[in-house]
């Protein structure tokens, strides 16, 4: 049970850690256009992210696939900015099923890239045999998914508060939040401290 909590907590904290801000920013930019009414779509997108992340970690540990961290980080920042631009373009529209292939594909790609980048951080933690690595990876992924759900709840709660307490339209909420995320992500692209 201690091992489960160790890896679960590691995954949970990773999402909410300032040093992995790109993960946090991507989840926020991903959820901004949606409301609680779109819960099925939200769960699908969060699961695609975690699935891509877990697949990449498993491939990295078992097949020894490696990625250039610098390029991975630049592409992830580009995906965050692309999602912000996509939100700007689609802000007046209600998120519909037609968005799923575009947003879902981007989410899966981001998850894969994130998993490949995360490999270098987790490798020292998992020096066990191949069989003994699988459960810690799954426990870590469960922690990630739990933190995704918590972060999503916070974003949806903030959207609710912005609408009902500050009379902010959904379009304005999307513009403001997407602008904030883009404003944080853009300088990170040009910063060499990945």
């Amino acid at each position: 049970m201690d091992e489960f909590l160790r890896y679960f907590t590691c995954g949970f904290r990773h999402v909410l850690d300032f040093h992995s801000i790109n993960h946090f920013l991507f989840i926020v930019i991903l959820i901004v256009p949606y409301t609680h009414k779109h819960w099925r779509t939200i769960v699908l997108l969060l699961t695609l992210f975690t699935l891509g992340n877990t697949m990449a970690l498993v491939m990295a540990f078992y097949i020894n696939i490696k990625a250039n961290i610098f390029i991975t980080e630049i592409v992830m920042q580009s995906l965050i900015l692309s999602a912000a631009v996509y939100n700007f373009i689609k802000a007046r529209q209600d998120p519909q099923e037609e968005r799923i292939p575009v947003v879902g594909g981007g989410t899966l790609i981001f998850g894969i890239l994130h998993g490949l980048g995360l490999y270098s951080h987790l490798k020292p933690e998992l020096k066990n045999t191949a069989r003994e690595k699988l459960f810690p990876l799954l426990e870590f992924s469960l922690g990630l998914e739990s933190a995704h759900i918590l972060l999503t709840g916070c974003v949806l709660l903030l959207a609710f508060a912005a609408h009902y307490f500050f009379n902010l339209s959904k379009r304005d909420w999307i513009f403001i939040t997407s602008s904030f995320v883009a404003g944080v992500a853009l300088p990170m692209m040009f910063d060499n401290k990945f």
Side-chain angles (χ1 to χ4, degrees), residues 18 21 25 77 80-81 178-189:
F18 183 73
I21 189 92
L25 293 174
Q77 297 307 325
I80 291 169
L81 290 172
S178 296
S179 296
F180 173 78
V181 169
V184 172
L186 189 60
M188 289 174 63
M189 281 185 74

Side-chain angles (χ1 to χ4, degrees), residues 117-160:
L118 191 57
Y119 168 71
S120 62
H121 298 291
L122 279 180
K123 188 176 181 182
E125 294 279 326
L126 299 171
K127 293 183 178 179
N128 302 340
T129 63
R131 180 179 163 86
E132 293 170 338
K133 289 178 185 175
L134 183 61
F135 285 112
L137 288 174
L138 295 177
E139 293 159 357
F140 179 84
S141 295
L142 188 59
L144 285 178
E145 189 75 1
S146 299
H148 291 167
I149 292 167
L150 176 67
L151 182 56
T152 297
C154 291
V155 171
L156 293 175
L157 190 60
L158 281 172
F160 175 81

Side-chain angles (χ1 to χ4, degrees), residues 20 32 43 47 152 157 190:
S20 60
V32 163
V43 168
T47 303
T152 297
L157 190 60
F190 302 107

Side-chain angles (χ1 to χ4, degrees), residues 1-6:
M1 187 65 159
D2 289 340
E3 287 293 308
F4 171 80
L5 287 176
R6 177 180 169 207

